[in-house]
Amino acid sequence: MSSQNADVLAQGLKPRHVRMLSIGGVIGAGLFVGSGHAIAEAGPAVLLAYIAAGALVVLIMRMLAEMAVASPDSGSFSTYADKSLGRWAGFTIGWLYWWFWVLVIPLEANAAGTILHSWFSQVQVWEYTLAITSFLTISNLFSVKNYGEFEFWFALLKVVAIVAFLCAGSLAVFGLMPGSSTQGISHLYDTKGFMPNGIGAVLAAILTTMFSFMGTEIVTIAAAESREPKKQITQATNSVIWRIALFYLLSIFIVVALVPWNTPSLMKAGSYQTAMQMMNVPYAKQIVDVVVLIAVCSCLNSALYTASRMIYSLSRREDAPAIASRTTRSGTPWVAVLLSTAAAFLAVIANYLAPSAVFEFLLASSGAIALLVYLVIAASHLVLRKKREARGEILSYRMWLFPGLTWATMVFIVGVLIAMLFNQQHRPEIIATGLLTLGVVAASRIVQRKRVARKNEEMVALRS
């Protein structure tokens, strides 16, 4: 796998790959299953939580797109943090983001293995997990087109599934669904009101729903490997509002309209399965299992891709081992892919061999990374926008109401982080993520000192 292209990534993603990635990339297993926990927590008012979290993602994507259109890069926000806030910021947020997706790999693979084991119990969960992870790893090793092609079909199937659910749910709401045992929108208010557990429960649900949107930013990383990155990023960002409104807000509205929020199966079976069973859709569980399997395989595929591109970008900036920037003749960062997969397998081994508290800490350490990423994107945007305006640059894509809306976004994120700290359920995540962040910042300082010392030695050697 020797490199013939100075270790540069190939521009192998087609427009349809990026387009479908931007449409389906926001749809994860959290929508099909995890949303049930948010509904049980906040009741019908969970819609307010999804609106707040969705609005935050729209603003963050607008800021990120402004920077990405001006300077497309596979390191995305890590590179922009490097340029705006300093090497320590790019180093820290890059490694934290890499760690987040490395942990996603075994979690999603295990979820896929569990579903498959329920169908064919003669094969163990770990065997399915190993087979799926190995297959997608090998696929990602060959060409970025493989990732794009798999993700295209994964995303297309997810979109078809949601559109089918929206159609069936809409028929049920209007009383036109044959055999449905539920209809109308009365469940929005007839079970202890629209906000049965108060505003505090809605705020807590925001913390839950916010992590469902993690992955929206991947399109700015992937677009750097397309032939027209600026055009692809612009189109993807412009469509993020209707994607969130259609896939999340409308589908969750249909669920809370048709299903009482305190239905026990919402947390056990998930929101989609519960709604479909109340509509008397045949084989509801089997259908949802297939869709969730597709969703977790899609997420696993994206996790492998995203983690490898982030560590590749860190390597190119001398913030990760130099070998991680090695690419194949087809422009695939093969070492970065293998390193990310190896780290994921080490996390799995830790789950089996280390005390449970160790793996619980590893999982908790990724709990607030999404919010830290969003905060760094906003801070980077604030600095880079001012620098570009000072240089007289004309931006073809701009954030709305700068700088007021950028500042408001940062204040909101800090407020959510503080709320997590005072929330008993999320406090361990804040503490674990904080400790991990401090460790990575310390590592960035050590790496920086070694880099400066090495350059000084080189200068001395040249002079002598």
Side-chain angles (χ1 to χ4, degrees):
M1 288 189 175
S2 59
S3 174
Q4 299 291 321
N5 55 6
D7 295 328
V8 176
L9 297 178
Q11 294 179 321
L13 289 178
K14 299 177 181 178
R16 67 180 176 88
H17 293 154
V18 180
R19 190 159 51 245
M20 190 54 71
L21 173 63
S22 68
I23 294 173
V26 74
I27 306 169
L31 174 60
F32 302 107
V33 181
S35 56
H37 293 267
I39 294 171
E41 189 172 30
V46 73
L47 288 168
L48 301 178
Y50 274 101
I51 289 172
L56 173 64
V57 171
V58 168
L59 296 177
I60 291 297
M61 280 299 297
R62 188 81 187 187
M63 297 177 213
L64 182 56
E66 179 187 303
M67 296 184 287
V69 168
S71 177
D73 193 283
S74 61
S76 189
F77 48 84
S78 173
T79 304
Y80 309 140
D82 194 318
K83 294 178 180 178
S84 59
L85 307 177
R87 292 294 292 267
W88 69 271
F91 180 102
T92 301
I93 207 63
W95 277 109
L96 288 176
Y97 191 71
W98 175 82
W99 176 242
F100 175 90
W101 286 110
V102 160
L103 280 182
V104 165
I105 294 170
L107 293 176
E108 299 296 338
N110 185 71
T114 301
I115 293 173
L116 290 170
H117 178 70
S118 70
W119 297 345
F120 310 103
S121 58
Q122 63 270 28
V123 180
Q124 297 302 310
V125 173
W126 72 266
E127 293 175 314
Y128 282 121
T129 299
L130 179 62
I132 293 169
T133 305
S134 299
F135 174 76
L136 290 177
T137 299
I138 293 170
S139 170
N140 273 268
L141 283 172
F142 281 106
S143 169
V144 71
K145 285 193 296 184
N146 288 349
Y147 162 72
E149 200 63 34
F150 274 111
E151 201 53 37
F152 174 85
W153 292 106
F154 284 148
L156 181 61
L157 291 170
K158 288 188 292 184
V159 170
V160 168
I162 288 188
V163 170
F165 175 81
L166 292 177
C167 291
S170 298
L171 289 174
V173 167
F174 289 104
L176 302 175
M177 182 73 174
S180 175
S181 60
T182 182
Q183 65 181 42
I185 60 172
S186 60
H187 292 315
L188 286 171
Y189 52 83
D190 67 359
T191 310
K192 300 182 182 179
F194 178 72
M195 196 181 294
N197 297 324
I199 189 65
V202 176
L203 294 175
I206 290 177
L207 306 179
T208 303
T209 58
M210 196 166 292
F211 302 106
S212 299
F213 295 105
M214 190 66 169
T216 314
E217 71 290 336
I218 293 175
V219 69
T220 62
I221 297 173
E225 293 183 71
S226 66
R227 296 188 183 279
E228 298 179 289
K230 296 180 180 181
K231 179 181 178 181
Q232 301 300 332
I233 292 169
T234 299
Q235 290 178 345
T237 306
N238 287 340
S239 67
V240 74
I241 295 177
W242 71 258
R243 285 186 281 127
I244 289 175
L246 180 66
F247 298 141
Y248 277 87
L249 297 183
L250 185 55
S251 61
I252 296 300
F253 171 82
I254 287 175
V255 171
V256 294
L258 296 176
V259 182
W261 65 270
N262 56 357
T263 302
S265 60
L266 277 172
M267 293 188 69
K268 295 178 181 178
S271 53
Y272 270 56
Q273 182 177 321
T274 302
M276 290 169 64
Q277 287 174 337
M278 295 194 73
M279 288 188 284
N280 291 321
V281 175
Y283 307 105
K285 183 181 185 305
Q286 290 79 0
I287 292 171
V288 171
D289 279 350
V290 170
V291 174
V292 171
L293 177 62
I294 292 169
V296 297
C297 287
S298 171
C299 191
L300 171 57
N301 194 38
S302 291
L304 281 165
Y305 171 82
T306 308
S308 65
R309 268 45 178 189
M310 186 54 70
I311 195 173
Y312 165 84
S313 175
L314 288 166
S315 177
R316 297 281 287 186
R317 287 176 274 147
E318 299 182 359
D319 286 335
I323 194 174
S325 63
R326 295 288 302 277
T327 65
T328 64
R329 287 186 174 87
S330 61
T332 301
W334 64 278
V335 176
V337 172
L338 292 177
L339 285 174
S340 299
T341 305
F345 278 123
L346 287 176
V348 174
I349 293 171
N351 184 29
Y352 284 102
L353 300 182
S356 59
V358 173
F359 193 68
E360 288 172 6
F361 175 81
L362 295 180
L363 291 180
S365 68
S366 67
I369 287 178
L371 288 169
L372 289 181
V373 168
Y374 292 162
L375 185 61
V376 167
I377 289 172
S380 302
H381 172 257
L382 191 69
V383 174
L384 288 179
R385 174 71 169 267
K386 289 182 177 179
K387 287 183 176 180
R388 289 189 169 112
E389 287 181 345
R391 292 194 298 264
E393 291 185 24
I394 299 176
L395 299 172
S396 59
Y397 198 84
R398 302 166 69 91
M399 171 62 180
W400 308 300
L401 300 176
F402 179 83
L405 207 48
T406 302
W407 275 112
T409 302
M410 293 172 66
V411 170
F412 178 78
I413 295 171
V414 171
V416 173
L417 288 170
I418 293 174
M420 288 182 70
L421 184 60
F422 286 95
N423 183 291
Q424 188 173 0
Q425 178 184 350
H426 295 281
R427 188 180 299 131
E429 298 172 6
I430 283 288
I431 294 173
T433 304
L435 291 173
L436 177 63
T437 302
L438 289 174
V440 178
V441 170
S444 75
R445 295 301 188 189
I446 295 172
V447 171
Q448 177 68 13
R449 288 196 191 99
K450 289 184 176 180
R451 186 187 299 114
V452 171
R454 186 175 66 251
K455 289 184 177 179
N456 288 338
E457 291 174 359
E458 290 174 354
M459 291 291 291
V460 171
L462 286 172
R463 288 173 183 170
S464 60

